[in-house]
Amino acid sequence: MPLTMKGFFLTVEGIEGSGKTTQIQRLAKLLRAHGQNCVVTKEPGGTPIGDRVRAILLDPQAEGMDPAVELFLLAASRRQHVIDVIQPALEAGATVLCDRFADASVAYQGFGRAIELQRIRDLNEWATSGIYPDLTVIFDLSEAEGLERARRRNAKENLYAESRLEGEDLAFHRRVREGYLAIAKEDDRRFAVVDAAAGIDEVFERFKALLSARAPKLKLTAAEGS
Ligand code: TMP
């Protein structure tokens, strides 16, 4: 991240049903309770334009979308998000907690859809103006368990309209999972993997322990004397 950025940029990634959204909400609650200014956001989406792009991307009726079109739409949403939300928040010194970011395109469109990784990295560089997370946490669990969890959640919350990528077969989600693990292995300074095959409370304990070690800037506990 450019040196002029005062904030902290944390992204969370994982396959469907990995529990990252719940974990990010819990973390935001904790940080705010300790007075930390944090912005919670997500991709695709995070801006009015991005939300409209998200609706197209996830629409199960958008059958036959070319993989490159999928990638371009994701990059379009990302560009608007970086300019309107992420960059200003980081410049203002906020902690940005982002549910998926550029690495998701490498995992899903690269490993999942077999688009050449370097093309995706080049497009990400453009879309993000080179703003990359300080830390990326991958919530890892088996694709079978993740998809089962995602199906249960969708049924409970009537989210059938949000499922074009979730509807891909198990082999696709296996490639995405393997992709995330491969990119984490390549760069263990920016990435960390949390085993997410446990209950929400247990995973949150693991997440906090990891952040204490890797992101001391985040206020996870009350300041002394407060
Ligand atoms: P979500 O369910 O975590 O909000 O993510 C929406 C879907 O978008 C999910 O199936 C993953 C997919 N996605 C990509 O394929 N590539 C990307 O770059 C991003 C950000 C999301």
Side-chain angles (χ1 to χ4, degrees):
M1 194 164 75
L3 286 174
T4 49
M5 304 280 177
K6 292 184 291 187
F8 189 86
F9 187 17
L10 173 73
T11 61
V12 297
E13 299 281 355
I15 59 166
E16 324 291 325
S18 57
K20 61 191 170 39
T21 308
T22 308
Q23 296 296 330
I24 230 177
Q25 282 164 355
R26 281 204 171 191
L27 177 64
K29 203 170 157 198
L30 185 66
L31 294 176
R32 286 177 180 144
H34 295 136
Q36 192 147 335
N37 175 18
C38 69
V39 172
V40 179
T41 188
K42 69 172 177 189
E43 287 200 3
T47 66
I49 292 171
D51 287 340
R52 294 172 76 173
V53 174
R54 178 183 174 93
I56 299 171
L57 277 162
L58 302 188
D59 183 354
Q61 290 180 346
E63 268 173 37
M65 185 184 289
D66 181 79
V69 171
E70 187 174 278
L71 177 67
F72 298 156
L73 288 173
L74 287 155
S77 165
R78 182 159 304 134
R79 177 84 189 138
Q80 198 70 44
H81 192 210
V82 166
I83 290 172
D84 289 353
V85 178
I86 297 175
Q87 185 163 3
L90 292 172
E91 280 171 355
T95 292
V96 174
L97 307 180
C98 190
D99 190 339
R100 299 194 188 281
F101 189 59
D103 300 306
S105 294
V106 179
Y108 279 82
Q109 283 62 52
F111 286 84
R113 300 267 193 238
I115 295 179
E116 198 191 323
L117 299 188
Q118 195 52 49
R119 289 190 166 208
I120 300 174
R121 292 189 162 129
D122 291 345
L123 193 59
N124 274 340
E125 183 70 23
W126 186 3
T128 63
S129 305
I131 294 174
Y132 283 96
D134 294 293
L135 179 66
T136 297
V137 178
I138 295 171
F139 288 96
D140 180 59
L141 85 171
S142 79
E143 60 281 358
E145 195 178 341
L147 281 186
E148 182 50 38
R149 282 191 196 177
R151 279 188 193 119
R152 267 186 267 135
R153 175 200 61 208
N154 290 353
K156 208 168 132 203
E157 298 176 17
N158 278 328
L159 286 176
Y160 295 106
E162 281 231 332
S163 54
R164 193 177 62 87
L165 281 119
E166 275 173 21
E168 291 290 336
D169 63 13
L170 215 52
F172 174 85
H173 293 284
R174 185 175 311 125
R175 290 196 298 279
V176 173
R177 180 191 187 197
E178 284 167 1
Y180 274 130
L181 295 176
I183 53 181
K185 219 169 161 187
E186 258 174 36
D187 182 359
D188 62 4
R189 283 184 39 194
R190 178 159 75 83
F191 290 93
V193 179
V194 167
D195 179 355
I200 293 173
D201 293 338
E202 172 60 29
V203 175
F204 192 53
E205 291 306 315
R206 293 174 189 171
F207 188 25
K208 279 192 300 184
L210 175 97
L211 294 173
S212 300
R214 299 282 299 270
K217 210 173 163 181
L218 299 184
K219 294 183 194 129
L220 295 171
T221 51
E224 257 175 63
S226 66

